[in-house]
Every structure is written in C-alpha cells, then in structure tokens.
C-alpha cells in the first residue's frame, strides 16, 4: 500500500479554496528581530489537518534552532516548497488545490504573492530548473509530469507541457541532473524512474528505468560527484544505488533502510546526502527513525537508525553548513533537529511545534 496520507491528499482533486495570501505573525516569535544574513527556514504544512500554512523564518547556525517569524496563509496544503538559488523567489504547490504559486522574497526572505496557475490533480513536488526558466511539477494524483515557464519577473506561466504516465501512475518527484540537461522523474505507481530532456518547455522521454516490482520509487538524490544516484523506495523500504552517465541509469545494489528483523509497516519519505557524499539519510515513516547509510564507491552500508524524535518523519534536510539535521514530523506536528558528528546524528537538540508539517527547507 502506498503512503496513506499522500494517497488520500493527492486524490482530493482541486476542491480546496485558495484565498488571498496573508502573512500572519507567529505569536511565539512576535517581536523577534529578523536578521537577513541568517540562513532562512521555510515550512510546508497541511492546512486541512491544522497546519498554519507556509512557515517563514530563520535558522541559528550555531544551535541549529529554527524560528518561525510568520505564517503565510491563503494556500491550501502548501506541502512542498522550492526556492530559487538567488533566494529572490519561492514556489509552492497547493496539493489539494491542484495549483502552483509564485512569490517574490524580500531581503529578509519574506514572501509577497506574484501569481498562481492550475497545474493538475494532486501535485506532490515542485522544483525550479537550475536555468531558472521552467518550473517542474510531479502529479501524484494525476500520474503526470508538468512543465511551466517562469517569466522574467518570477511569475509562473500556464503549463507548456503535461505528460501523463500510463496505467496506475503516481509521479512523485522530479530532480535535475548536475549537467542541467536531464530530468529524473520517480513514479511510485509504475516502479519506474523516467529520464527526460526538456526541449523548449516540452518533455522528451529518453528512458524508462524499471525497478523491482513493489519497490515504489519516491525520491531521488544525486551523489555530489554526479556519477551515482540514490533512490528511496517507499513501498519496500529500500534504497537503490544506481550508476548514472549522460542519461543512462543502471540499477545496482538495493538495501533495506531498516535493521534486520524489523516488522510492521514502514514507508521511507525523504532522502538526502551529505556535501562530501559519504553519508545518505532516509526518513522512515512507521519506524519513526532516520536511516543513516555510509557510502563507499558504489556501495551503501546501513550504519544506524536513530529516532527521528517524533511521529511520521515525512521530510528531512541538512543545513548548508552540514552540521545540523532537521526532520519534519507530520503526525506529531513538530520539527526536530540533531547535531551531526562524523555523519551520525547526536542527541535531540530541540523541537519546534508545527502542526501537520510536511517539509522543512533551509536556505
């Protein structure tokens, strides 16, 4: 069975109203002076389950502590966020509304709405192409990938292409390879990763790489060296190590994200990699752990599975310094963070209440 939370949400369709956006001060952070030079934090949440909207704040690099200074309301279920490399624009999906939204960011990282566009049923992920000219969306509910042009002022245009995958497709994520030429689209429903090129705003399929039946590819991350790809499989709790070269993806080692003898349902959520490529991190929803894997050549080894500090770790991320691991625990409604020492998470350093949190993004 796929992730019950995501399946339910992605099939809601475009039924939720998306009113005008409003920045609401967070009561706990009222009066806090913002420092533009600090790293920024953005939180995606499920408003249908009590989330406050899109969280905006800062990160203390010395302690790893995130502080939410305001909540942007008006977007239903802004569960996934991407920020332009120059930190001038932010893009988010409305998972239940079937739309994509563009915001301009000021010097302190506060968003001002630019516009929105319909994108399709049940979007699960959005990414800005590194060239900055296209926004790429994965439709879990619609089983498709979508390209939107991005205008010079940061606004998002109507879709330039939508490609529906066949059968019981559930497109979950698109990532761009280091060259910027190739797109990898993980489709959980088809046990496949599609390789595309984007030509003048249209997808051109290059490969469909099939994984073992019942794997459920969900999220993908490239090794910093660019020659390896790691794929988190949601349905069988594994990570696949793949060789990558100029559009060709070859599946190699597949190993579990759980210790031997583990029982009960478990659904890996997010996958991340350290800047030096030595450690891979996967959130285990069900076990409520973070799988820490050591990378040597084209092999991975499960090193540890410490607690995520909450319930249902939907997302995790590393800060820019590589010193802190942040985890978004959807069901317990909090963001937890841990110091990283030699790649391994230390004791729980703190907890930030955030109802129905789906993503924690630091930039």
């Amino acid at each position: 069975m796929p992730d019950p939370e995501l399946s339910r949400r992605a099939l809601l369709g475009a039924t939720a109203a998306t009113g005008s956006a409003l920045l609401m001060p967070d009561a706990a952070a009222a009066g806090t002076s913002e420092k533009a030079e600090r790293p920024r934090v953005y939180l995606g949440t499920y408003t249908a389950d009590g989330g406050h909207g899109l969280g905006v704040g800062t990160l203390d690099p010395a302690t790893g502590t995130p502080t939410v200074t305001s909540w942007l309301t008006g977007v239903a279920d802004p569960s996934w966020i991407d920020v332009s490399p120059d930190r001038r624009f932010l893009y988010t999906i409305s998972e239940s509304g079937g739309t994509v939204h563009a915001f301009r960011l000021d010097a302190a990282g506060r968003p001002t709405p630019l516009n929105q566009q319909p994108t399709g049923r049940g979007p699960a992920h959005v990414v800005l192409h590194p060239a900055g000219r296209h926004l790429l969306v994965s439709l879990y509910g619609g089983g498709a990938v979508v390209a939107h042009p991005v205008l010079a002022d940061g606004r998002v245009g109507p879709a330039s292409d939508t490609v529906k995958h066949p059968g019981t497709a559930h497109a979950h994520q698109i990532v761009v390879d280091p060259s910027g030429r190739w797109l990898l689209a993980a489709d959980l429903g088809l046990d496949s990763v599609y390789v595309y090129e984007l030509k003048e705003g249209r997808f051109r399929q290059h490969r469909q790489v099939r994984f073992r039946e019942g794997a459920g590819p969900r999220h993908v991350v490239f090794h910093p060296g660019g020659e390896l790809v790691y794929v988190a499989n949601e349905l069988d709790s594994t990570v696949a190590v793949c060789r990558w070269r100029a559009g060709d993806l070859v599946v190699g080692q597949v190993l579990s994200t759980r210790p031997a003898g583990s029982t009960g349902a478990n659904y890996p959520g997010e996958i991340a990699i350290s800047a030096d490529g030595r450690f891979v991190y996967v959130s285990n929803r069900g076990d409520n752990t973070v799988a820490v894997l050591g990378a040597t050549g084209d092999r991975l080894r499960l090193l540890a599975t410490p607690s995520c500090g909450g319930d249902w770790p939907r997302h995790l991320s590393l800060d820019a310094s590589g010193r802190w691991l942040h985890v978004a625990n959807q069901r317990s409604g909090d963001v937890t963070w841990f110091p990283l020492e030699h790649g391994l998470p230390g004791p729980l350093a703190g907890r930030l209440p955030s109802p129905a949190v789906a993503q924690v993004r630091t930039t």
Side-chain angles (χ1 to χ4, degrees):
M1 294 290 291
D3 170 12
E5 290 292 332
L6 184 52
S7 297
R8 178 175 70 85
R9 297 185 175 286
L11 297 176
L12 284 175
T15 57
T18 55
S20 59
L22 178 66
L23 275 172
M24 299 293 293
D26 177 67
T32 300
S33 61
E34 295 181 350
K35 298 182 179 180
E37 69 273 12
R38 277 192 170 184
R40 301 173 187 173
V41 173
Y42 297 100
L43 303 182
T45 71
Y46 284 117
T47 55
D49 287 344
H52 298 324
L54 185 106
V56 180
T58 59
L59 178 72
D60 184 338
T63 65
T65 302
T67 300
V68 176
T69 54
S70 59
W71 291 94
L72 188 143
T73 66
V75 179
D77 297 328
S79 59
W80 195 271
I81 302 154
D82 198 21
V83 178
S84 63
D86 60 10
R87 305 204 302 177
R88 294 177 57 210
F89 301 102
L90 179 147
Y91 300 93
T92 184
I93 55 171
S94 169
E95 190 168 321
S96 56
T99 49
V100 63
H101 299 250
F103 297 86
R104 178 181 290 111
L105 300 175
D106 67 13
R110 294 179 296 247
T112 298
L114 290 175
N115 77 325
Q116 67 182 68
Q117 293 285 353
T119 194
R121 189 163 61 102
H125 183 269
V126 62
V127 63
L128 179 67
H129 190 282
R133 294 192 294 270
H134 292 92
L135 203 63
L136 308 171
V137 180
S138 304
L139 302 181
Y140 184 95
V145 291
V146 186
H148 291 267
V150 175
L151 308 182
D153 63 359
R155 289 180 300 130
V156 58
S160 57
D161 196 17
T162 299
V163 175
K164 175 75 171 69
H165 293 170
T168 57
H170 292 302
H172 214 306
Q173 186 195 39
I174 299 176
V175 298
V176 184
D177 90 313
S179 74
R181 176 181 176 183
W182 306 101
L183 314 176
L184 275 64
D187 195 305
L188 181 149
L190 299 179
D191 294 323
S192 295
V193 171
Y194 286 82
V195 180
Y196 289 103
E197 288 184 279
L198 191 67
K199 296 289 188 179
E200 298 180 348
R202 301 188 66 83
F203 294 101
R204 179 182 297 173
Q205 185 176 327
H206 176 71
R207 294 277 189 274
Q208 179 185 358
V209 180
R210 298 183 185 276
F211 287 61
R212 65 188 188 189
E213 185 176 356
R218 175 185 172 96
H219 278 196
V220 177
V221 69
F222 273 86
H223 186 279
E227 295 182 350
L228 292 171
V229 172
Y230 303 106
V231 181
N233 294 312
E234 178 179 326
L235 302 186
D236 68 358
S237 294
T238 63
V239 173
V241 182
C242 306
R243 280 283 180 186
W244 170 256
R245 184 177 179 183
D248 288 330
L249 188 71
V250 179
V251 182
Q253 180 195 19
V254 178
L255 75 163
S256 179
T257 64
R258 315 172 77 185
S262 297
T263 59
N266 184 68
Y267 305 100
E270 179 61 310
I271 185 167
I273 190 167
S274 60
D276 61 9
R278 295 173 56 204
F279 300 96
V280 174
Y281 305 88
V282 181
S283 63
N284 278 322
R285 295 171 299 171
D287 290 353
N288 290 336
T289 62
V290 174
V292 183
L293 303 110
T296 304
D298 60 356
R299 306 291 293 179
L300 288 178
R301 179 169 61 94
L302 184 62
L303 301 178
T305 52
S307 169
C308 68
D311 186 8
W312 210 251
R314 188 175 193 86
H315 185 258
L316 55 75
S317 64
L318 305 174
D319 79 317
S321 73
R323 295 173 54 199
W324 300 99
L325 173 72
H326 293 85
V327 183
N329 298 302
Q330 181 184 348
R331 292 183 178 172
S332 55
D334 50 35
V335 173
T336 52
W337 62 97
F338 306 83
L340 291 173
E341 301 237 358
H342 305 294
L344 295 175
L348 175 67
R351 185 186 311 275
L352 173 69
S354 180
V357 65
Q359 186 195 19
V360 50
R361 173 69 188 268
T362 59
T363 181

